[in-house]
Amino acid sequence: MDESADTGTTARPRRAEAIFAATLELLATAGYEGLTMEAVALRAGVNKTTLYRWWKSKDEVLAAALTESDLLTFPVPDTGSLRGDLIETARSIHCLLTDAATAPIAAAVLAASPGRPSLAAVGRMFFADRAAREHPLFRRAVVRGELDDRTDPRLVMDMLAGAIWFRVFLRAEPVEAADIDKAVDIVLNGIAA
Amino acid sequence: MDESADTGTTARPRRAEAIFAATLELLATAGYEGLTMEAVALRAGVNKTTLYRWWKSKDEVLAAALTESDLLTFPVPDTGSLRGDLIETARSIHCLLTDAATAPIAAAVLAASPGRPSLAAVGRMFFADRAAREHPLFRRAVVRGELDDRTDPRLVMDMLAGAIWFRVFLRAEPVEAADIDKAVDIVLNGIAA
């Protein structure tokens, strides 16, 4: 029932992807309050005991779902230039926040996060994981001589991802393709005359 | 009871600031669901009929509270340089998102926004109002020759405000004073080597 599949990364139960999908769908439709271990088990078609063998709490399974589910993963680009890589990454983030399959998950994470310390820890983990994945993009740019090696990749990604989250969810306005290019050009070259 | 006070801006009832404070406090403590016209009237010590004479719905009074309450207003800086003005503005935004009096309001807005079209409209109005207030800062920089006049001020503010929101609420990590300076320097000069 809970034999692990060799995914080449961390050990996980055989029906991991179904469990992750059930977790994220429940979060999106029922909110953080409606997300329970019982509901996840039922929706994923696994025993509750199986679920508890792998994760001790709903925050643990949520953290695993956010970082490991195929739904929220996008490839780290390698276009040959920092500009190309940042535009591709920003487009993927925009897609994640607006695609019908993933936007409700992002909205639910946003709605659930403030004022919940356990979820804050999940958020920290999720975005630290993303930053680690994006890191090669910046390292390659340093090697190519496009980027000063004192640049803080996390701050750059906070500014790009932050601008997209902010406009989509707080300003509730569309992000055009040209806006993404312009944001990347600001990050690369600045606005000073 | 509902005679308007001449504030030099839009007409508003005499106890407007009390009504706005009550609205924002209720949002912060009871959430969007707990925010009702009845509760606002009770907490502000005004008649419900007075409230309805000025605003037709809780979204209307919330929009007015967000844009007009003294609680969420900060002065637009005029330090003499674009860098100084952007740093001051970013610090004020950071303060708003972390100060004990205002952080719960920001968190509640964030929690309530996704998936509520009427609130999305409120958000659009709120940030459009902020953008209009910040506009002179960019205009002065163009006049001083510090800034190309084709720069989109909204995109710049999305990147700065977005980075702060993102780090405080999603990554759940502190923003240091040095991070704010670094973010402004990236916006001004870029990261390209």
Side-chain angles (χ1 to χ4, degrees), chain B residues 126-179:
Chain B
F126 174 70
F127 289 107
D129 175 73
R130 286 299 155 111
R133 293 188 204 191
E134 285 148 1
H135 203 249
L137 176 168
F138 291 93
R139 218 168 35 220
R140 285 193 306 259
V142 170
V143 171
R144 282 191 303 257
E146 293 180 281
L147 185 65
D148 190 310
D149 66 358
R150 286 164 304 181
T151 307
D152 177 359
R154 291 189 324 154
L155 187 56
V156 172
M157 290 314 304
D158 281 355
M159 295 174 75
L160 285 177
I164 300 170
W165 276 89
F166 192 72
R167 187 167 290 194
V168 169
F169 285 113
L170 284 161
R171 287 225 281 111
E173 285 186 16
V175 176
E176 311 291 345
D179 295 323

Side-chain angles (χ1 to χ4, degrees), chain A residues 13-175:
Chain A
R14 201 164 46 82
R15 294 192 36 78
E17 191 52 40
I19 293 168
F20 297 155
T23 303
L24 298 175
E25 282 159 21
L26 273 167
L27 178 71
T29 53
Y32 183 71
E33 301 303 333
L35 178 67
T36 63
M37 293 293 263
E38 199 135 27
V40 169
L42 192 70
R43 196 178 187 109
V46 301
N47 286 328
K48 225 172 87 174
T49 46
T50 307
L51 205 60
Y52 274 107
R53 210 164 300 154
W54 287 87
W55 300 285
K56 281 195 282 293
S57 67
K58 74 172 183 180
D59 284 332
E60 284 194 9
V61 71
L62 179 57
L66 287 171
T67 49
E68 294 177 45
S69 167
D70 298 337
L71 248 180
L72 303 181
T73 308
F74 52 81
V76 174
D78 187 4
T79 62
S81 78
L82 178 58
R83 183 171 190 272
D85 286 356
L86 290 179
I87 287 176
E88 279 302 307
T89 305
R91 280 184 192 158
S92 296
I93 293 169
H94 179 239
C95 222
L96 219 63
L97 301 190
T98 52
D99 185 271
T102 49
I105 300 168
V109 169
L110 194 67
S113 293
R116 286 204 179 84
S118 69
L119 248 187
V122 172
R124 262 194 302 272
M125 221 201 67
F126 173 69
F127 289 107
D129 175 73
R130 285 299 155 112
R133 292 187 203 192
E134 285 149 1
H135 204 249
L137 174 170
F138 290 93
R139 219 168 33 222
R140 287 193 306 259
V142 170
V143 170
R144 283 193 301 258
E146 293 179 282
L147 185 65
D148 190 311
D149 66 359
R150 286 164 304 181
T151 306
D152 177 0
R154 290 190 325 153
L155 187 56
V156 173
M157 290 313 304
D158 282 356
M159 295 174 76
L160 284 178
I164 299 169
W165 278 86
F166 193 73
R167 186 168 290 195
V168 170
F169 286 114
L170 286 160
R171 287 223 283 113
E173 286 186 15
V175 176

Side-chain angles (χ1 to χ4, degrees), chain B residues 69-151:
Chain B
S69 167
D70 298 339
L71 248 179
L72 302 182
T73 308
F74 51 81
V76 175
D78 188 3
T79 63
S81 78
L82 177 59
R83 183 172 191 271
D85 286 356
L86 290 178
I87 288 175
E88 280 302 308
T89 304
R91 280 185 191 156
S92 295
I93 293 169
H94 178 239
C95 222
L96 218 64
L97 301 188
T98 52
D99 185 89
T102 50
I105 299 169
V109 170
L110 202 63
S113 293
R116 286 203 179 84
S118 67
L119 249 186
V122 172
R124 262 195 304 271
M125 220 201 68
F126 174 70
F127 289 107
D129 175 73
R130 286 299 155 111
R133 293 188 204 191
E134 285 148 1
H135 203 249
L137 176 168
F138 291 93
R139 218 168 35 220
R140 285 193 306 259
V142 170
V143 171
R144 282 191 303 257
E146 293 180 281
L147 185 65
D148 190 310
D149 66 358
R150 286 164 304 181
T151 307

